[in-house]
Amino acid sequence: MTRQIGFLVNTDPVSGYQTYDQPSGPDRAQRNQAAARRAALTICTIADVAAGVLALWIVLFLLDANQGNAFVELVRGTADWLAGWARDIFTMDTEGLRVLLNYGLPAVLYLLLGHGIAARLNRA
């Protein structure tokens, strides 16, 4: 920076702004593609966690886990919330089969939808 008496002569660009002679960063298409990949990864992760919680509840139920345990209650409450829309689609006499189907169907759908949406975003 050069100073002269009476006024300020600045030969340096203002910090934070890009001058025209400097190479630019990634172009808009690359930034959009990177954002789409991050969104796809986030959607896949959410779908995988949801399906994992549902699968964990199925396993805990089939192994006759202690229903009074705080962790088991947490997993059951979360699984009930995730599979609330699919509650009692299947009404079987066998309790284990009923839980497997009523919680397994949402788990499979979450995986299919989540990974399908992510694949679509990665193609864009």
Side-chain angles (χ1 to χ4, degrees):
M1 190 178 332
T2 309
R3 289 187 184 241
Q4 292 181 354
I5 299 176
F7 62 94
L8 175 68
V9 176
N10 185 357
T11 59
D12 297 333
V14 177
S15 65
Y17 291 97
Q18 178 179 339
T19 60
Y20 292 108
D21 60 342
Q22 293 177 345
S24 63
D27 65 337
R28 182 176 292 254
Q30 288 174 336
R31 287 193 311 260
N32 288 344
Q33 187 177 25
R37 285 189 177 149
R38 284 191 303 271
L41 180 62
T42 302
I43 290 170
C44 274
T45 302
I46 291 170
D48 291 346
V49 168
V53 168
L54 291 167
L56 180 59
W57 168 242
I58 293 170
V59 168
L60 290 173
F61 183 84
L62 293 176
L63 294 177
D64 199 26
N66 179 7
Q67 301 290 321
N69 183 283
F71 176 72
V72 175
E73 287 178 5
L74 173 70
V75 172
R76 180 181 183 168
T78 306
D80 283 342
W81 182 78
L82 288 169
W85 59 269
R87 181 157 296 150
D88 296 330
I89 288 180
F90 301 100
T91 55
M92 309 287 184
D93 292 333
T94 308
E95 190 71 14
L97 184 59
R98 184 187 64 78
V99 169
L100 178 67
L101 292 175
N102 284 324
Y103 289 92
L105 175 66
V108 170
L109 287 177
Y110 286 143
L111 286 175
L112 290 175
L113 287 173
H115 286 264
I117 292 169
R120 175 77 177 152
L121 284 173
N122 278 330
R123 273 186 265 149

